[in-house]
Amino acid sequence: MAAKKLRRTQLSQEMCERLSRYQITTCQDFLCLSLLELMKVTGQSYYEVQKLLCKVSQACAPKMQTAYEMKLRKSVNPSSAFLSTTLHPLDRVLHGGVPCGSLTEITSPPGCGKTQFCIMLSVLATLPVSMGGLDGAVIYIDTESAFSAERLIEIAANRFPTYFDSDEKLLHMTRSIHLYRELTCCSVLKRIMSLEEEIISKKVRLIIIDSVASVVRKEFDTKLQGNLAERSNFLTRGASVLKYLAEEFSIPV
Amino acid sequence: MQREVGTLPLAPALRARLAAAGFQTAQELLDTGPCGLSKEIGISREEALEALQVVRQECHGHAARTAGGSGTTRKCTALELLEEEQTQGFIITFCSALDNILGGGVQLTKITEICGAPGVGKTQLCMQLAVDVQIPECLGGVAGEAVFIDTEGSFMVDRVVDMAAACVQHCHLIAEAQPEEDHRKALETFSLENILSHIYYFRCRDYTELLAQVYLLPEFLSEHSKVRLVVIDGIAFPFRHDFEDLSLRTRLLNGLAQQLIIIANDHRAAVVLTNQMTTRIGQSQSTLVPALGESWGHAATVRLIFHWDNSQRLATLYKSPSQKESTIAYHITSHGFRDVQPPAVTPSTEGTELNPRKRPRTEEEKQ
């Protein structure tokens, strides 16, 4: 939205050309300037500039929705609001399971079972909706090389023996889990940015990143001065893209 | 009338031409008339007429302002302000300790900032306020609507439903205890659907959308004149990443703060912002301070800091023009934001919401 070109807003053609001479081509550039600067750049009077500001703002402001509409939308399909973890006490505490449309973070000391939990969630997501799953593909971004396909099949076969009774079903499940091994921060960020198209094409219903901390701690030593800012920069940028993906596609991350 | 031409809000090119032609005051422009003006500086008659209309508007507006009429600058005596402040509404938070240290609740026409570490309850308080602002006047509320601008995506509708249901139940219990005609009438419209339909939710993904939304807010508020609360949940989040130019960030934040102050004053609304915490690394230790820097600290009138103390949540009033600094404990229950129940109270009395401690103001308001 921020990178929306001014050409696509309601501004006139000559105004856009004039602004592009000053290197102002997107809504972001336009809104970052103060009123006086805008007057100088557009050559318009104060009131005209305020009207232009309104037009550009309308082009990139978010839509309004009342809380009531949001509730109605949620109640229309309640089953898609959560991914049940099949651990009933946990589901009770989480009010239904891992929520769709927002980020969930799992932290623990090493060896407690985070990766096992993630593997189990991937199996659950590929199950059909009637069995409590999301009936979709899974994107698994692995930074520690801890994902084991054998363990995946073991969990699937032992947990749901009646469903995975044929090799074919197991094959189908494993084919819908897409594993990406990324070992540096840059590649993780690039992968996250490229996820949008993959989600649509592969009908992904769950994104797992295992784990964020390991790759960040490897690369950014907090004792060095500039690294703290770079590290938080990387983390917040990744977080905002993931939040956008989670909300846009209503999937758990 | 003796206003200099350079200070008029005309287009810069036009101003340059007027200066080159030798015009110095607005009066000269008005005396020349549109035809003379167009001949002297070489612009069309329509443009000259437009410019003169702008000048006339400015001068008249200026004259009206100096006469003390309604304009952008208002003069009033401190006595009028005192009377205004005493009739000022507060938005209660359902936590009487917090209301007490704030002097009655979140004040209208002021900017309140809530800072805290993640998970301490800032968004919970914002959602609670969005429900509480709609309480009818006869029950101690301000009967307004709420605008919720979310930059972090932490607004959960189900949680608001829980809080709204608890609030409606609470009000019904009060109305039963003191049955009056206007109570019953007010409660007819105070239902779950109504509460939810009067919370206007905007989801801003980055600072450009946030800036655009704040520019459009005055128009939105004039259309929905009953809005008494504007919540911006997470003002720090879009400004903390992707910003290499810190001076641009400071400038944008200051502009944002000024616009919010204007909105709060013109529309008699309370503005509530939530901020994150950042670590300041000192000589020998590091402390948690509110994010966005020192200059942002001047933007808010009232500052609350939420923090933990061994699994007890505390709220500290850090900055306030009228109340003294103090700390209280609060609780987040399934009904929302509440006081910490004193240990003497048995669990069975948790349900009786007729506790006068929690609603001290109904009596005062009615007087």
Side-chain angles (χ1 to χ4, degrees), chain A residues 1 28 47 65 236 243 247, chain B residues 58 152 201 207 209 241:
Chain A
M1 267 301 164
Q28 192 171 7
Y47 301 111
Q65 31 178 339
T236 39
K243 274 200 214 209
E247 283 178 15
Chain B
E58 271 299 303
E152 297 174 342
Y201 177 76
Y207 70 89
E209 290 189 17
H241 64 101

Side-chain angles (χ1 to χ4, degrees), chain A residues 216-228 231:
Chain A
V216 165
R217 286 169 116 174
K218 262 194 291 184
E219 283 195 25
F220 294 110
D221 182 7
T222 47
K223 287 199 212 79
L224 297 176
Q225 270 292 39
N227 273 357
L228 201 55
R231 186 175 91 153

Side-chain angles (χ1 to χ4, degrees), chain B residues 325-348:
Chain B
E325 212 176 288
S326 41
T327 306
I328 54 111
Y330 66 92
H331 230 79
I332 303 201
T333 67
S334 58
H335 298 296
F337 213 80
R338 293 287 186 271
D339 273 314
V340 172
Q341 292 285 359
V345 177
T346 56
S348 59

Side-chain angles (χ1 to χ4, degrees), chain A residues 29-38, chain B residues 211 215 239 243 245-259 295-296:
Chain A
D29 303 328
F30 193 85
L31 288 174
C32 279
L33 299 174
S34 70
L35 276 173
L36 283 178
E37 284 173 3
L38 280 175
Chain B
L211 286 174
Y215 276 128
F239 287 102
F243 248 108
D245 188 2
L246 279 183
S247 60
L248 174 67
R249 186 178 97 162
T250 317
R251 187 158 56 99
L252 289 178
L253 283 172
N254 282 335
L256 211 63
Q258 280 183 332
Q259 282 170 315
S295 45
W296 175 250

Side-chain angles (χ1 to χ4, degrees), chain A residues 141-210:
Chain A
I141 301 181
D142 188 5
T143 62
E144 294 174 328
S145 304
F147 188 87
S148 148
E150 275 182 24
R151 181 74 180 121
L152 176 74
I153 301 203
E154 198 184 343
I155 292 182
N158 286 335
R159 199 67 198 275
F160 303 102
T162 48
Y163 181 70
F164 289 110
D165 47 6
S166 67
D167 274 343
E168 198 190 300
K169 289 237 181 85
L170 281 173
L171 271 174
H172 173 80
M173 186 230 2
T174 48
R175 229 177 293 145
S176 18
I177 299 185
H178 305 276
L179 181 69
Y180 297 101
R181 281 224 177 82
E182 311 288 349
L183 295 168
T184 65
C185 285
C186 276
S187 54
V188 170
L189 202 56
K190 248 190 276 180
R191 176 65 58 197
I192 296 178
M193 306 276 195
S194 70
L195 277 182
E196 193 170 345
E197 296 177 9
E198 308 225 357
I199 296 177
I200 302 179
S201 62
K202 297 190 181 134
K203 294 209 204 350
V204 172
R205 303 287 301 149
L206 171 66
I207 301 178
I208 298 181
I209 302 189
D210 176 22

Side-chain angles (χ1 to χ4, degrees), chain A residues 58, chain B residues 145 216-227 267:
Chain A
Q58 265 161 357
Chain B
E145 305 173 352
L216 295 176
L217 259 187
E219 211 184 296
F220 185 82
L221 291 183
S222 346
E223 286 169 25
H224 299 85
S225 55
K226 285 190 71 184
V227 172
H267 300 272

Side-chain angles (χ1 to χ4, degrees), chain B residues 86-302:
Chain B
Q86 280 181 336
T87 58
Q88 203 77 270
F90 292 94
I91 306 178
I92 61 168
T93 61
F94 267 127
C95 172
S96 58
L98 190 60
D99 289 341
N100 281 338
I101 64 167
L102 284 173
V106 173
Q107 220 178 348
L108 297 182
T109 74
K110 298 271 193 291
I111 301 190
T112 309
E113 187 179 350
I114 306 173
C115 321
V120 75
K122 308 186 291 288
T123 310
Q124 297 292 311
L125 180 59
C126 291
M127 296 199 279
Q128 182 73 58
L129 288 172
V131 170
D132 288 347
V133 74
Q134 310 193 31
I135 297 179
E137 276 172 17
C138 51
L139 291 165
V142 295
E145 305 173 352
V147 167
F148 199 105
I149 300 180
D150 191 2
T151 58
E152 297 174 342
S154 34
F155 184 80
M156 295 272 131
V157 188
D158 304 311
R159 188 71 180 119
V160 179
V161 168
D162 287 343
M163 288 182 177
C167 183
V168 169
Q169 196 190 28
H170 192 124
C171 292
H172 273 291
L173 286 172
I174 295 190
E176 275 169 36
Q178 304 151 0
E180 269 175 39
E181 189 48 52
D182 35 342
H183 280 191
R184 228 172 305 139
K185 240 187 301 178
L187 279 182
E188 276 164 36
T189 49
F190 191 60
S191 68
L192 196 60
E193 288 81 33
N194 268 334
I195 298 181
L196 290 180
S197 352
H198 291 308
I199 300 180
Y200 303 110
Y201 177 76
F202 297 88
R203 172 78 171 93
C204 295
R205 298 260 154 73
D206 50 35
Y207 70 89
T208 316
E209 290 189 17
L210 181 62
L211 286 174
Q213 190 53 49
V214 175
Y215 276 128
L216 295 176
L217 259 187
E219 211 184 296
F220 185 82
L221 291 183
S222 346
E223 286 169 25
H224 299 85
S225 55
K226 285 190 71 184
V227 172
R228 289 280 170 270
L229 174 67
V230 175
V231 177
I232 302 189
D233 188 11
I235 196 147
F237 186 66
F239 287 102
R240 281 185 90 184
H241 64 101
D242 250 358
F243 248 108
E244 298 90 26
D245 188 2
L246 279 183
S247 60
L248 174 67
R249 186 178 97 162
T250 317
R251 187 158 56 99
L252 289 178
L253 283 172
N254 282 335
L256 211 63
Q258 280 183 332
Q259 282 170 315
L260 290 173
I261 294 177
I262 295 178
I263 290 175
N265 269 318
D266 285 347
H267 300 272
R268 274 201 80 221
V271 176
V272 175
L273 314 168
T274 54
N275 200 354
Q276 297 172 347
M277 301 293 266
T278 183
T279 323
R280 183 186 298 166
I281 303 179
Q283 301 284 30
S284 53
Q285 32 141 4
S286 56
T287 49
L288 275 181
V289 295
L292 294 183
E294 290 295 325
S295 45
W296 175 250
H298 299 293
T301 320
V302 177

